[in-house]
Amino acid sequence: MAAESSVAVVLKTIEFSETSLIVTLFTRDFGQVTAIAKGARRPKSSFEGSLDLLAVCRVVLIRKASDALDLLTEAKLNRRFRGADKSLTRLHGGYYLAEMLRLLTETHDPQPMLYDLTLDALSQIDGTGNAALALLGFDAIALRLLGHTPTTRTCADCGVATQLDRSVPFSPAAGGVVCGSCRISQPSVFIVRPKTLQCLERLLDNQTRLPLATASANKIDANYRDVRVLLNRYIEVILGKTPRMQSFLPARMEPSE
Ligand SMILES: [Zn+2]
């Protein structure tokens, strides 16, 4: 098999044998890939610490037959994740990002726009950006890029137009807001305020990069908690589980933390 090259973010590493690592990568060109890095645990390996969690590196892979692990033959560090040097919030934010990418993306399904969004989010989280806002923006845009946009103005079940000037029922299982008739047949419905939905619309707006525009950030600030809860509940249904790091997400938008 021919060797293939891509840029990648390290999502997970597991020790394998005395000297090797099994590495889960989110690559720009091939989507999620799990590969074995032989000799990566040796003191002077050619991987030179490039396989730390959330490191961005250029990798060379040899793809194997369907059920075998791919082989990682090279990894050259481009960028190290520095969240741990900044704050616990930023470190946890990075862990959350890695977990979400593992759960949301598929093996060998390229998502280059999501990859670029991930690099934006990483530089916000371990730089001086607002980590809470970056994670909120990442979640909303990632859901949209992967085809999971929730409806905000039409019933997710029957398609009828809903009012945006009053609180409306929201059903994660149906895929967004629902009308008065359809809410009865939905398993878990909660009520969402117009301001929360407007913030969600801003987050889902056509932009695919971070940071979010200052105007959007200012609007979201006062409604952060409600939007975060709404997205958390929606994500749980999309994934069929609660991400382990979800409870570590920032409770407030703290610009200086
Ligand atoms: Zn309906």
Side-chain angles (χ1 to χ4, degrees):
M1 291 256 180
E4 297 174 302
S5 172
S6 182
V7 279
V9 179
V10 178
L11 301 183
K12 188 179 183 179
T13 60
I14 302 171
E15 292 179 1
F16 181 74
S17 80
E18 288 285 297
T19 57
S20 301
L21 282 178
I22 291 175
V23 189
T24 303
L25 302 165
F26 180 48
T27 68
R28 190 173 196 278
D29 298 276
F30 319 117
Q32 192 174 144
V33 169
T34 301
I36 183 160
K38 289 184 178 169
R41 298 180 62 206
R42 288 205 183 98
K44 288 188 175 173
S45 92
S46 58
F47 296 103
E48 294 171 37
S50 56
L51 299 179
D52 293 339
L53 187 69
L54 293 165
V56 177
C57 40
R58 175 152 286 280
V59 297
V60 178
L61 291 154
I62 297 173
R63 207 181 292 188
K64 291 296 177 79
S66 55
D67 57 343
L69 288 175
D70 292 347
L71 184 66
L72 181 67
T73 59
E74 280 179 56
K76 192 169 183 300
L77 183 70
N78 284 355
R79 181 192 196 283
R80 189 179 298 285
F81 179 66
R82 303 174 310 271
D85 304 339
K86 301 280 171 72
S87 74
L88 204 54
T89 303
R90 292 181 184 275
L91 177 65
H92 287 160
Y95 289 170
Y96 175 79
L97 203 66
E99 185 183 15
M100 283 297 285
L101 287 165
R102 284 205 315 274
L103 296 174
L104 275 174
T105 65
E106 305 278 341
T107 303
H108 294 151
D109 175 28
Q111 297 288 345
M113 289 170 85
L114 181 58
Y115 179 87
D116 295 342
L117 175 72
T118 300
L119 260 53
D120 290 348
L122 280 175
S123 67
Q124 289 290 303
I125 291 167
D126 77 355
T128 54
N130 186 303
L133 192 61
L135 290 163
L136 203 62
F138 171 84
D139 280 340
I141 300 168
L143 288 169
R144 181 165 64 79
L145 290 174
L146 296 171
H148 299 301
T149 310
T151 66
T152 54
R153 291 175 190 242
T154 54
C155 173
D157 200 3
C158 73
V160 73
T162 53
Q163 304 282 356
L164 200 64
D165 59 350
R166 67 180 74 153
S167 294
V168 287
F170 188 97
S171 164
V177 297
V178 284
C179 70
S181 312
C182 293
R183 70 176 291 182
I184 302 153
S185 58
Q186 292 300 328
S188 58
V189 172
F190 50 95
I191 302 300
V192 182
R193 293 183 307 131
K195 278 195 171 166
T196 312
L197 276 183
Q198 283 160 14
C199 288
L200 180 62
E201 285 191 338
R202 274 187 178 264
L203 287 167
L204 293 166
D205 204 0
N206 285 325
Q207 73 182 78
T208 57
R209 304 298 298 256
L210 295 170
L212 299 167
T214 311
S216 295
N218 292 341
K219 272 260 191 288
I220 291 159
D221 196 356
N223 303 287
Y224 169 77
R225 207 181 163 76
D226 287 348
V227 184
R228 187 65 265 176
V229 168
L230 173 61
L231 273 179
N232 286 354
R233 295 179 78 168
Y234 186 66
I235 285 165
E236 284 168 356
V237 170
I238 295 288
L239 298 176
K241 65 189 285 189
T242 304
R244 202 174 61 82
M245 291 306 297
Q246 191 186 80
S247 58
F248 293 87
L249 284 168
R252 289 179 304 277
M253 266 174 58
E254 293 278 12
S256 57
E257 201 176 350

